[in-house]
């Protein structure tokens, strides 16, 4: 007997979307603060390791996470986890519980060998978490809401990350997480393991292709599914993450930039940046639904190119302080690409391949690119590459990506015309 | 024939308004400027230059006995003042040296520059370390504080512009109006991006000094886009009015009537306590910018991506 999708219920859909937004926002906040900043502090300050060594460990984490995410994604496609939402919810609970334990344990690491073992376990949790949670988009968020859902995830994560904590030490970064994660894990456990009536509704929702099949996967309906858009977007997102991380860490640690940006002691500066992230994310969420996603990539690369140019320009003139407009613009670009990252993978997928697509997409473009570029940035800094040269390279990459995208768009249009 | 005469009259009226507006730009020589990009601009003793000077990587020297009438904006390079400056000096970066014989008849803002000011130099205004020390000029409401004649002139200009554009560019205006009112959220979202990025880009171009004229063009383009969006909003309101008033049958009349309504609402909001014209002007201008962007100045019809027919 063929299974039929359940009748749409707006209330259930809202609940499903809210559940997804909650999980992803906390997950992204964890990633933004604890993983990206906390680990560097743990390695450098707490364990007193040299920068290059920490960079190497970060690269190890990246490669492991990417490899595990792809493997789990592949396995999920093979085992048809795409049609078993409750199993993925239970796995998500296991991941959150493990991450809660890892966060608590991180405060007690005093040895490099323990740090390495801890990193491996951390990579496993992250690698399993990526395909499991991202693929839930296909079951819980209707296609037309994906831009807005991604915008809310981005807004909540960045606003909180800008307001909390006040400094970027491991202790300060873990504090809010240890408040949020244990109750969050408990709620997730209760939802995942108890026989709630809504599971029956959500487990069949992905069969309603009119609502839940991805926007770009929809175009391939009725013919063999093409992987070329997936690989093109993986490449684009890889470049975006790479450019962002390559310059960001260096900027964050430059005293001239610190006072007027994310690490400022002034709450109002961080609040302005947090609100900018929210505005940028909401605008991107609306535009994600309204425009072709390619136009958002023009904005992302264009803004990155402009803002790095502004940073290098201000360095050349060596003023006493920097205007807030630069981090504001940077925050807008970051918010746009984060929104695209949260919505795009599910929109390239069908329920069957959502786990694999999100696994490979986030692993390559997010984790791999971020940590490889962070490691490269740390390596350059350790080798005393001047700041203006560092940012010049980032700026050049952003300009190149912008121009390449324009050329690509031009030639792809030519091809269509020929057909 | 009649329509030709009306069009002719409208275009003539707009040209007169534009000419009057541009002629106002001549006042006090504010709109003439000298850009020093490279090399040296030297004002020797006994010579007088009248200009607003912006410095790139070159240098400006006002020798003892020389006079510069106008402001100096320094964005790098070197400025040496030993003579007279009848204006303000704003040094954002670069090297500034004010010698003992210098006489500055304005404020000196040091900003991020590497400055040396001789104690014997005469500065009539204030010597400020940063822009935050600039005297508070008080908040000015450009709508309520402007003279009634100026406000009336502006309103007449906008209404005539709406009527003229409604006559000559009816199809593009309709497309922008549809984007603005039926897809106001994407318009607002895109408007925010264009506003933030556009302004940053323009300011950045100004700082290069070489691209100063291009940045002025960019600013003008943003202004034109906002104005076009406002006229489109007028068209949409005029169409609503036309459902009640049969006399408003033609698009130019609808555009003009809609613009009058918009200006009236703006005027009422400006004088209402607890409100301000900004409550209408800011979101409408930003959404206008976005609607113009979505429709490429009304050249294409905007259809949201999720409503487009799938080519496959």
């Amino acid at each position: 007997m063929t299974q039929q999708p359940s009748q749409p219920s707006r209330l259930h859909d809202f609940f499903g979307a809210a559940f997804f937004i909650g999980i992803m926002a906390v997950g992204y906040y964890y990633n933004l603060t604890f993983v990206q900043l906390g680990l560097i502090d743990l390695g450098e300050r707490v364990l007193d390791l040299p920068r290059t060594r920490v960079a190497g460990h970060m690269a190890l984490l990246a490669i492991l996470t990417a490899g595990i995410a792809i493997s789990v994604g592949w396995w999920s496609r093979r085992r048809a986890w795409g049609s078993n939402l409750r199993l993925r919810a239970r796995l998500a609970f296991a991941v959150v519980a493990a991450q809660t334990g890892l966060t608590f344990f991180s405060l007690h690491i005093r040895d490099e060998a323990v740090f390495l073992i801890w990193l491996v376990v951390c990579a496993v949790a992250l690698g399993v978490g990526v395909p499991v949670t991202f693929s839930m988009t296909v079951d819980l968020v209707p296609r037309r809401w994906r831009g807005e859902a991604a915008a809310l995830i981005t807004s909540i994560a960045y606003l909180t990350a800008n307001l909390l904590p006040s400094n970027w030490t491991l202790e300060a970064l873990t504090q809010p997480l240890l408040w949020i994660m244990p109750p969050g894990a408990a709620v997730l456990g209760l939802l995942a393991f108890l026989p709630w009536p809504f599971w029956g509704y959500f487990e069949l929702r992905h069969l309603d292709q009119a609502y839940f099949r991805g926007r770009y996967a929809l175009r391939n309906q009725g013919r063999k599914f093409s992987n070329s858009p997936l690989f093109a977007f993986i490449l684009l997102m890889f470049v975006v993450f790479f450019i962002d991380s390559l310059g960001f860490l260096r900027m964050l640690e430059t005293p001239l930039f610190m006072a007027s940006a994310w690490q400022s002691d002034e709450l109002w500066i961080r609040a302005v940046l947090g609100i900018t992230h929210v505005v940028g994310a909401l605008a991107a969420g609306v535009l994600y639904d309204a425009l072709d996603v390619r136009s958002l990539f023009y904005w992302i690369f264009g803004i990155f190119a402009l803002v790095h140019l502004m940073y290098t320009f201000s360095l050349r003139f060596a003023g006493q302080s920097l205007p807030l407009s630069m981090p504001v613009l940077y925050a807008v670009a970051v918010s746009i690409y984060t929104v695209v990252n949260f919505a795009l993978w599910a929109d390239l997928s069908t329920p069957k391949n959502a786990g694999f697509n999100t696994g490979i997409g986030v692993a390559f473009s997010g984790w791999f690119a971020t940590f490889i570029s962070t490691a490269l940035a740390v390596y350059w800094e350790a080798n005393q590459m001047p700041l203006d040269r560092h940012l010049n390279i980032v700026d050049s990459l952003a300009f190149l990506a912008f121009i390449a995208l324009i050329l690509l768009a031009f030639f792809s249009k030519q091809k269509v015309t020929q057909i | 024939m009649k329509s030709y005469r009306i069009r002719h009259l409208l275009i003539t009226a707009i040209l007169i308004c534009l000419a009057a507006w541009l002629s106002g730009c001549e006042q006090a020589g504010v709109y003439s400027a000298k850009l020093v990009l490279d090399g040296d601009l030297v004002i020797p003793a006994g010579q007088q230059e009248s200009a607003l000077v912006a410095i790139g990587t070159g240098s400006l020297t006002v020798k003892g006995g020389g006079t510069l009438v106008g402001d100096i904006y320094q964005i790098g390079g070197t400025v040496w003042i030993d003579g007279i400056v009848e204006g303000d000096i704003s040094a954002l970066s670069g090297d500034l040296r004010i010698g003992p014989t210098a006489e500055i008849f304005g404020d000196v803002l040091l900003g991020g520059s590497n400055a040396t000011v001789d104690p014997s130099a005469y500065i009539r205004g204030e010597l400020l370390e940063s822009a935050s020390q600039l005297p508070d000029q008080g908040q000015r409401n450009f709508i309520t504080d402007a003279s009634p004649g100026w406000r009336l002139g502006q309103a007449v200009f906008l209404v005539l512009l709406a009527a003229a554009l409604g006559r000559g560019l009816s199809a593009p205006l309709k497309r922008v109006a549809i984007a603005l009112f039926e897809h106001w959220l994407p318009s607002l979202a895109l408007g925010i991006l264009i506003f933030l990025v556009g302004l940053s880009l323009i300011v950045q171009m100004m700082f290069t000094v070489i691209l100063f004229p291009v940045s002025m063009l960019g600013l003008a383009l943003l202004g034109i886009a906002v104005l076009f969006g406002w006229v489109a909003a007028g068209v949409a309101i005029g169409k609503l009015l036309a459902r009640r008033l049969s006399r408003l049958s033609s698009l130019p009349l609808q555009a003009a009537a809609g613009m009058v309504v918009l200006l009236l609402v703006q005027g009422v909001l400006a004088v209402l306590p607890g409100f301000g014209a900004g409550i209408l002007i800011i979101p409408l201008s930003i959404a206008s910018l976005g609607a113009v962007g979505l429709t490429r100045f009304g050249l294409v019809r905007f259809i949201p991506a999720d409503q487009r027919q799938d080519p496959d």
Side-chain angles (χ1 to χ4, degrees):
Chain A
M1 202 176 99
T2 324
Q3 285 184 312
Q4 291 294 318
S6 39
Q7 284 298 311
S9 153
R10 192 43 76 97
L11 189 69
H12 277 83
D13 288 347
F14 270 121
F15 173 74
F19 173 73
F20 177 76
I21 290 166
I23 286 189
M24 299 306 271
V26 175
Y28 195 57
Y29 174 76
Y30 171 86
N31 179 32
L32 269 179
T33 56
F34 179 70
V35 179
Q36 290 195 27
L37 304 168
L39 295 198
I40 295 173
D41 185 62
L42 174 60
E44 285 185 15
R45 186 182 58 85
V46 181
L47 301 179
D48 201 23
L49 298 174
R51 287 229 85 180
T52 43
R53 206 166 173 80
V54 176
H57 291 346
M58 295 293 275
L60 172 77
L61 176 76
I63 293 162
L64 274 178
T65 306
I68 293 165
I70 293 166
S71 309
V72 173
W74 177 79
W75 185 252
S76 75
R77 188 171 65 176
R78 201 178 148 85
R79 304 290 298 187
W81 287 359
S83 53
N84 193 344
L85 177 64
R86 210 171 328 182
L87 173 69
R88 280 176 286 143
R90 286 172 182 173
L91 280 170
F93 163 74
V95 167
V96 176
Q99 285 175 333
T100 309
L102 283 166
T103 310
F104 179 75
F105 190 68
S106 69
L107 294 168
H108 304 283
I109 297 173
R110 293 291 176 270
D111 180 55
E112 192 183 353
V114 179
F115 179 46
L116 273 173
I117 297 167
W118 184 92
L119 270 183
V120 173
V121 182
C122 189
V124 172
L126 289 167
V128 175
V130 165
V132 161
T133 52
F134 270 77
S135 66
M136 285 184 185
T137 322
V138 177
D139 306 88
L140 300 176
V141 188
R143 194 171 58 242
R144 287 201 172 176
W145 294 2
R146 284 180 191 163
E148 283 83 355
L152 285 174
I153 294 165
T154 309
S155 302
I156 296 166
Y158 276 117
L159 186 63
T160 320
N162 273 277
L163 298 178
L164 296 170
S166 53
N167 68 70
W168 288 358
T169 57
L170 180 72
E171 294 78 9
L173 290 164
T174 49
Q175 213 168 28
L177 285 169
L178 289 175
W179 278 102
I180 301 166
M181 289 175 82
V187 172
L188 187 56
L190 286 175
L191 288 173
F193 285 96
L194 292 181
W196 301 95
F198 53 77
W199 284 118
Y201 175 81
F202 287 120
E203 286 198 320
L204 298 176
R205 285 309 286 149
H206 68 267
L207 298 173
D208 190 345
Q209 301 208 344
Y211 285 88
F212 289 89
R213 195 184 172 105
R215 190 164 125 197
Y216 298 101
L218 199 67
R219 292 190 181 168
N220 293 292
Q221 217 166 7
R223 64 180 193 194
K224 196 171 179 289
F225 188 81
S226 160
N227 274 326
S228 48
L230 174 70
F231 292 126
F233 282 122
I234 287 176
L235 183 68
L236 278 173
M237 288 303 285
F238 181 92
V239 178
V240 170
F241 274 98
F242 189 86
I243 288 171
D244 176 26
S245 303
L246 192 61
F248 189 61
L249 194 68
R250 187 76 187 264
M251 279 195 264
L252 286 178
E253 292 180 349
T254 302
L256 179 67
F257 298 146
M258 275 164 67
S260 59
W262 291 266
Q263 240 178 320
S264 169
D265 291 333
E266 303 272 356
L267 181 66
W268 74 268
I269 290 181
R270 285 186 279 126
V272 165
L273 291 175
I275 291 164
T276 307
H277 273 296
V278 173
V279 173
L282 294 178
V286 170
L287 292 176
Y288 178 83
D289 292 332
L291 304 176
D292 192 283
V293 73
R294 196 165 54 187
S295 58
L296 287 180
F297 279 102
Y298 288 124
W299 280 102
I300 296 165
F301 289 129
I303 297 175
F304 271 140
L306 173 64
V307 83
H308 283 100
L309 186 70
M310 287 164 82
Y311 272 113
T312 47
F313 194 85
S314 58
L315 275 176
R316 259 175 250 145
F317 287 109
Q320 306 289 316
S321 63
L322 291 175
L324 199 54
S325 60
M326 290 193 285
V328 159
L329 210 55
Y330 201 102
V332 171
V334 169
S335 289
I336 298 173
Y337 88 69
T338 310
V339 166
V340 172
N341 186 50
F342 276 113
L344 184 65
W345 307 116
D347 267 349
L348 284 162
S349 310
T350 60
K352 194 181 166 193
N353 61 17
F356 180 67
N357 285 1
T358 53
I360 196 170
V362 179
F364 260 110
S365 62
W367 286 99
F368 198 59
T370 299
F371 284 102
I372 292 295
S373 61
T374 304
L376 186 63
V378 171
Y379 177 77
W380 281 350
E381 197 181 350
N383 283 285
Q384 287 161 1
M385 180 188 275
L387 179 63
D388 59 340
R389 185 167 158 71
H390 187 144
L391 294 184
N392 248 335
I393 295 172
V394 182
D395 193 28
S396 313
L397 282 175
F399 266 114
L400 264 180
F402 185 65
I403 292 163
L405 197 61
I406 290 172
L407 289 175
L408 210 67
F410 178 75
F411 285 112
S412 63
K413 272 184 186 166
Q414 293 285 310
K415 200 174 154 192
V416 170
T417 316
Q418 279 167 17
I419 289 167
Chain B
M1 192 67 193
K2 193 183 166 191
S3 70
Y4 172 78
R5 205 177 298 160
I6 292 171
R7 191 186 297 183
H8 190 80
L9 267 172
L10 281 172
I11 291 170
T12 313
I14 289 168
L15 284 176
I16 290 169
C17 287
L18 268 176
W21 179 54
L22 287 171
S23 66
C25 296
E26 265 304 295
Q27 283 185 355
V30 169
Y31 294 90
S32 63
K34 238 180 205 133
L35 302 178
V36 182
L37 305 176
D38 211 354
D40 305 322
L41 173 65
V42 182
I43 301 170
Q47 192 173 319
Q48 181 171 315
E49 278 280 350
S50 181
L52 177 148
V53 181
I55 306 289
T57 52
S59 75
L60 165 72
T61 310
V62 182
K63 296 223 177 223
T67 306
L68 178 77
V69 182
D71 299 329
I72 298 171
Y73 291 96
Q74 187 185 1
I75 320 167
T78 312
V79 175
W80 284 40
I81 311 286
D82 284 316
I84 299 164
V85 176
E86 293 183 8
D88 297 331
I89 300 175
S90 303
L92 302 175
S93 60
D95 296 318
L96 169 69
R97 212 208 81 181
I98 298 177
T101 56
E103 292 177 49
I104 319 289
F105 291 88
D107 294 328
V108 178
L109 171 66
L110 300 180
S113 68
N114 183 16
T116 316
V117 182
D118 194 286
S120 314
Y122 171 73
I123 299 172
R124 183 188 273 182
E126 287 186 78
L127 182 66
L128 306 162
E129 295 290 332
S130 70
S132 60
Q133 289 178 307
L134 282 169
D136 186 11
Q137 300 292 323
Q139 285 213 328
R140 185 164 181 259
N141 187 325
F142 285 96
I143 292 157
T144 51
D145 295 354
S147 70
W150 172 245
R151 271 186 281 163
L152 187 68
Q154 270 184 325
V156 169
F157 171 71
L158 285 173
V159 171
L160 286 174
L161 184 74
L165 291 179
R167 177 124 214 121
L169 297 168
S170 58
L173 276 176
K174 279 181 198 164
R175 290 187 199 113
V176 176
I178 289 169
L180 189 57
F181 284 89
E182 288 184 15
H183 308 289
W184 62 272
L185 207 51
S187 296
L188 195 63
L190 188 66
I192 289 170
L193 285 189
I194 295 176
F195 178 75
L196 279 176
V197 179
L199 270 192
S200 304
L201 184 64
I202 285 167
V203 170
Q204 186 62 26
M205 284 196 292
M206 282 177 180
F207 270 88
T208 64
V209 182
I210 300 169
L211 293 176
F212 197 85
V214 183
S215 67
M216 287 293 115
L217 278 177
L219 209 56
L221 192 70
L222 280 185
I224 290 167
V226 170
L227 209 57
F228 199 71
W230 268 72
V231 174
V235 167
I237 294 168
K239 282 204 164 291
L240 286 176
L241 288 174
R243 287 185 196 166
R244 302 254 173 201
L245 303 167
S246 55
R247 284 186 183 179
L248 292 177
S249 54
S250 71
L251 198 76
L253 275 177
Q254 290 169 3
M259 184 56 84
V260 169
V261 172
L262 260 181
L263 292 171
L264 280 175
V265 173
Q266 177 202 302
V268 170
L269 284 173
V271 292
L272 273 182
F275 286 87
I279 206 166
L280 174 74
I281 292 174
I282 295 169
L284 183 61
S285 299
I286 290 177
S288 298
L289 207 55
V292 169
L294 286 175
T295 58
R296 317 273 192 274
F297 266 94
L299 292 176
V300 292
R301 194 178 151 219
F302 169 67
I303 305 165
D306 53 5
Q307 289 171 24
R308 277 177 213 158
Q309 283 287 320
D310 195 340
D312 296 326

